[in-house]
Amino acid sequence: MNYKDFYQNSINNSELFWQEQANKLDWYSKPENILSVNGNGYNQWFQDGTLNLCYLALDKHIQDGFGDQNAIIYDSPVTQTIKKYTFNEAKEKVAKLAGGLLALGLKTGDTAVIYMPMIPEAVFAMLACARIGVTHSVVFGGFAPHELAIRIDDCKPKVILTASSGIEIDRLIAYKPLVDEALELSSHKPKKVVVLNRKLGARVPFKKYDIDYDALIYGSDETNCIPLQSIHPSYILYTSGTTGKPKGIVRDTGGYATALRFSMQYIYNANPGEVFWAASDVGWVVGHSYIVYGPLINRNTTIVFEGKPIKTPDASTFWRIISEHKVATMFTAPTAIRAIKKEDPNGEFIKKYDLSSLKTQFLAGERCDVATLEWYQKHITIPTIDHWWQTESGWPMIANMMGIEFLPIKPGSAGKAVAGYDIRIFNEVGEELNTGEEGYVVIKLPLPPGTLMDLWKDNERFKAGYLNKFPGFYFSGDGGYKDKDGYVYITGRVDDVINVAGHRLSTAEMEEIVASHKAVAECAVIGINDELKGQIPLALVVTKTGEEIENFQLEFEIVQLVREQIGAVASLRNVVTVPRLPKTRSGKILRKLMRNIADGTAFQIPSTIDDIVIIEEIKEVLKNNKIGFFK
């Protein structure tokens, strides 16, 4: 099959193209209205069709005679557990949990929050919600109570599903006290909290709103899938915004199922029955699309991995799992490969395992540096595909479409536009740029199926953030350029969001927290390059006149503040005191200038002597603290 013709067909005949893809799903009632406009003037796909994500992920395969195939492999090196669930077994667990949720009073259209570690029950909870039309919002287990409380207040769940604990390498993290604290902070109070006691030794304080997960399952009947409208919101997934307030990305049902099945076949080239492993977390969009819904809809065995690429127990973990479970396609973040490379630079662990089952390695979540890509390809001689997408898109926008035609890999590029995405590069005033010119990455509307419907109960913010800047186009928030062959190079965020090990975090939110410290007069948080995590935050602080505090003490206190309010995932480690911050004449802090200084990249020399002095002051502080380029 030819990529060029396939892609052009998806752009020139988009409605027919996506109708043909939608027809590959089992609908309760097939859509006749393929592309329409909703009440807010935004495009929607397959509006009059009805289907169910959980049915497509489990029940359909059982009816087709594949009930005894493994659906989920739970591999947990941190608890030394491997457990496998067939489609029959997974369906029973999910159907009973769905029955339990109905018994608690949940119904189609309600919301539920899931705050769990990487365990099979997290997947069961997501699928149980999908089974009965409850819109779920999974919150990453690494987020602090403050962040969880914000999400509870925004989506107003009837029920929270959680577990007694998660494990961070060799450290037990008690989840239940974090949930209780979040509920004390939140204005909205869910009716019940369903708690899975893992019995690993974590403290599990009992509250009157608690329900034991196992007891709920034991006393419940299995319930069938409920037919849902294609435009029914399947989930809300919060992502960082530049205001500091998380944005609730809303995903539909029918468009999402269509896009995921399409991507499993045409992007990932995953055949039904193969093992597909996305080494991520269900708290992120990768976990939603490619640990849970995508692989299961495509009848792939999916791996739920509770561990890290290193230290659980060592840098051989990924290779052991690929070999033991015969993984055909893998997906992870470049950060994970960099961590392995650092521990095992010569690839000695790789040589110990039979990796012949592995066809393709996909990388995403952040830009993959050339050195990491080349290291991987040197030691594992399979196609290594960097690709680009967002929480908002729900599935890849730029990739090498392995199920269509394998195109040459260009290190540094995420590939070419995926079928359905008409990607352009614009300048500030909306003019399309020439080859090699860097600008804003935008996509012509309508976006293909499976992309965001809206922001949860905040349509004005949706339009302001994505649609208003370039009318008729979706604004991605990223910068980039195209080469003469149509390959796209993503250069990074153009707003105040940074990418730490594949996790999008708001520097604006961190700045609010840093500024709350009593000794801080003003501050700036910027993302600087990091060999392992891609980017890490750096806080530059100007202290109040008369405040006497040692820099190490200030750093300790600010780091603790950020950990308490955002969580360890923020990875803020460096806080430095500077005499002053560079600003424009209107008073705007020049964050990009400071980022360039810290990264050792070129920047425009300011026009005044005073500005030059400020830059030299910042350079001196970074040099003395061995930060960024000055290590």
Side-chain angles (χ1 to χ4, degrees):
M1 198 181 299
N2 178 281
Y3 161 80
K4 183 180 177 182
D5 293 341
F6 189 83
Y7 175 78
Q8 284 303 326
N9 185 37
S10 76
I11 300 301
N12 298 336
N13 307 294
S14 61
E15 286 192 51
L16 180 60
F17 181 91
W18 288 113
Q19 183 177 28
E20 289 173 354
Q21 298 305 322
N23 285 341
K24 296 176 182 178
L25 297 176
D26 272 19
W27 297 75
Y28 293 121
S29 58
K30 281 192 175 183
E32 295 182 6
N33 194 351
I34 305 304
L35 181 62
S36 56
V37 176
N38 65 19
N40 292 316
Y42 188 65
N43 300 108
Q44 60 187 8
W45 291 92
F46 316 126
Q47 180 263 329
D48 56 343
T50 60
L51 74 173
N52 186 286
L53 282 177
C54 185
Y55 171 81
L56 296 174
L58 299 177
D59 302 60
K60 177 190 184 305
H61 308 312
I62 294 168
Q63 291 175 14
D64 288 347
F66 297 101
D68 292 330
Q69 180 194 314
N70 284 330
I72 297 168
I73 299 173
Y74 169 53
D75 192 306
S76 172
V78 294
T79 60
Q80 298 183 333
T81 303
I82 293 176
K83 192 167 183 182
K84 299 178 181 181
Y85 298 84
T86 64
F87 280 103
N88 282 323
E89 291 165 339
K91 183 225 170 188
E92 181 184 355
K93 298 278 188 186
V94 169
K96 286 179 75 69
L97 178 56
L101 295 178
L102 288 173
L104 293 180
L106 273 83
K107 61 184 186 302
T108 299
D110 287 338
T111 57
V113 160
I114 299 168
Y115 185 76
M116 283 185 164
M118 278 298 291
I119 53 177
E121 288 80 5
V123 178
F124 298 156
M126 294 167 72
L127 291 168
C129 289
R131 195 170 187 84
I132 57 174
V134 169
T135 301
H136 64 65
S137 182
V138 183
V139 178
F140 175 61
F143 278 136
H146 169 74
E147 292 291 313
L148 178 56
I150 291 171
R151 288 153 173 78
I152 290 169
D153 277 337
D154 196 63
C155 75
K156 296 180 172 46
K158 264 193 181 177
V159 168
I160 295 177
L161 295 103
T162 190
S164 55
S165 65
I167 303 175
E168 185 70 19
I169 300 178
D170 57 359
R171 182 169 62 97
L172 206 61
I173 301 172
Y175 276 29
K176 184 54 171 48
L178 300 178
V179 172
D180 292 337
E181 186 180 339
L183 290 177
E184 288 177 14
L185 294 171
S186 67
S187 301
H188 175 77
K189 308 298 180 186
K191 288 169 59 178
K192 295 293 180 184
V193 175
V194 178
V195 185
L196 173 73
N197 191 340
R198 301 184 69 190
K199 299 173 183 170
L200 297 175
R203 189 165 63 92
V204 193
F206 180 80
K207 302 286 185 178
K208 63 181 181 181
Y209 47 64
D210 289 345
I211 296 284
D212 181 74
Y213 180 101
D214 290 324
L216 181 68
I217 293 274
Y218 181 79
S220 300
D221 296 323
E222 292 187 31
T223 192
N224 292 324
C225 296
I226 294 174
L228 301 169
Q229 267 197 301
S230 175
I231 56 173
H232 174 79
S234 59
Y235 66 78
I236 308 159
L237 185 56
Y238 289 90
T239 186
S240 290
T242 56
T243 64
K245 181 190 174 187
K247 300 178 291 188
I249 305 299
V250 183
R251 193 83 63 215
D252 71 358
T253 297
Y256 189 47
T258 301
L260 290 184
R261 193 208 168 283
F262 173 84
S263 68
M264 292 300 293
Q265 179 180 355
Y266 292 112
I267 298 174
Y268 297 108
N269 195 27
N271 299 315
E274 292 179 340
V275 179
F276 185 96
W277 179 26
S280 183
D281 190 286
V282 291
W284 309 121
V285 69
V286 173
H288 284 61
S289 295
Y290 298 113
I291 294 175
V292 184
Y293 296 112
L296 294 177
I297 287 172
N298 199 50
R299 194 170 56 76
N300 293 114
T301 302
T302 188
I303 294 180
V304 175
F305 170 60
E306 188 182 25
K308 299 287 183 184
I310 58 174
K311 297 182 180 178
T312 58
D314 54 38
S316 71
T317 300
F318 275 17
W319 321 129
R320 191 265 304 166
I321 291 174
I322 292 168
S323 176
E324 188 169 338
H325 303 309
K326 300 292 181 282
V327 175
T329 307
M330 188 186 174
F331 180 148
T332 193
T335 298
I337 304 303
R338 283 195 291 268
I340 294 168
K341 175 187 168 189
K342 184 179 178 183
E343 295 285 315
D344 184 25
N346 297 319
E348 296 300 326
F349 280 126
I350 297 171
K351 299 170 188 173
K352 297 180 180 180
Y353 293 93
D354 176 8
L355 305 181
S356 58
S357 63
L358 192 63
K359 300 188 302 184
T360 320
Q361 174 72 62
F362 284 87
L363 300 168
E366 56 182 306
R367 181 180 171 275
C368 182
D369 59 285
V370 175
T372 299
L373 188 76
E374 290 178 344
W375 180 87
Y376 193 98
Q377 290 188 312
K378 174 185 174 183
H379 293 287
I380 304 177
T381 54
I382 59 170
T384 308
I385 310 297
D386 187 15
H387 62 322
W388 175 79
W389 49 297
Q390 302 174 317
T391 303
E392 289 86 346
S393 69
W395 61 288
M397 297 189 273
I398 301 170
N400 198 322
M401 298 188 70
M402 295 297 291
I404 301 291
E405 177 188 7
F406 176 48
L407 300 171
I409 293 170
K410 292 192 180 187
S413 169
K416 294 191 177 186
V418 165
Y421 291 98
D422 186 350
I423 294 176
R424 316 278 182 92
I425 309 296
F426 278 4
N427 65 13
E428 185 65 49
V429 295
E431 297 167 335
E432 191 164 2
L433 294 174
N434 296 320
T435 295
E437 293 182 325
E438 185 178 341
Y440 298 105
V441 178
V442 301
I443 302 159
K444 192 173 188 301
L445 298 177
L447 295 181
T451 52
L452 77 170
M453 293 171 63
D454 204 339
L455 295 182
W456 183 252
K457 300 190 184 300
D458 200 347
N459 182 252
E460 287 307 309
R461 190 181 183 194
F462 169 66
K463 289 188 286 191
Y466 301 105
L467 306 179
N468 291 351
K469 186 172 179 67
F470 301 109
F473 291 82
Y474 164 87
F475 173 46
S476 73
D478 275 317
Y481 63 93
K482 289 184 183 180
D483 71 9
K484 61 182 177 58
D485 299 317
Y487 283 75
V488 185
Y489 295 73
I490 301 296
T491 54
R493 301 294 297 176
V494 296
D495 56 21
D496 293 325
V497 173
I498 62 173
N499 195 317
V500 181
H503 309 326
R504 278 172 60 183
L505 298 167
S506 167
T507 54
E509 183 176 13
M510 285 190 232
E511 280 184 10
E512 281 183 31
I513 297 167
V514 174
S516 71
H517 190 283
K518 60 182 175 54
V520 174
E522 62 178 346
C523 66
V525 176
I526 58 174
I528 63 172
N529 289 336
D530 180 73
E531 189 178 285
L532 180 63
K533 297 191 174 185
Q535 280 186 303
I536 54 171
L538 165 66
L540 297 105
V541 169
V542 179
T543 55
K544 292 176 181 173
T545 304
E547 279 289 344
E548 295 291 333
I549 184 168
E550 293 288 340
N551 192 76
F552 74 87
Q553 181 66 25
L554 181 64
E555 182 175 63
F556 174 78
E557 291 176 6
I558 287 175
V559 167
Q560 289 305 114
L561 274 175
V562 172
R563 284 182 72 97
E564 287 166 11
Q565 296 192 49
I566 297 179
V569 70
S571 292
L572 179 65
R573 302 283 184 274
N574 295 318
V575 180
V576 295
T577 303
V578 294
R580 48 199 170 154
L581 297 170
K583 297 176 183 176
T584 64
R585 296 294 164 262
S586 62
K588 184 180 179 184
I589 294 171
L590 295 166
R591 291 176 179 81
K592 184 177 181 182
L593 171 67
M594 291 187 288
R595 189 166 64 241
N596 288 344
I597 293 169
D599 289 340
T601 55
F603 58 88
Q604 188 172 351
I605 302 296
S607 56
T608 69
I609 298 296
D610 195 41
D611 286 335
I612 294 171
V613 171
I614 293 173
I615 287 171
E616 290 305 317
E617 289 171 347
I618 291 172
K619 277 185 180 177
E620 191 64 25
V621 170
L622 297 179
K623 193 186 219 175
N624 291 340
N625 287 275
K626 296 183 171 59
I627 288 172
F629 172 74
F630 302 93
K631 274 184 183 176

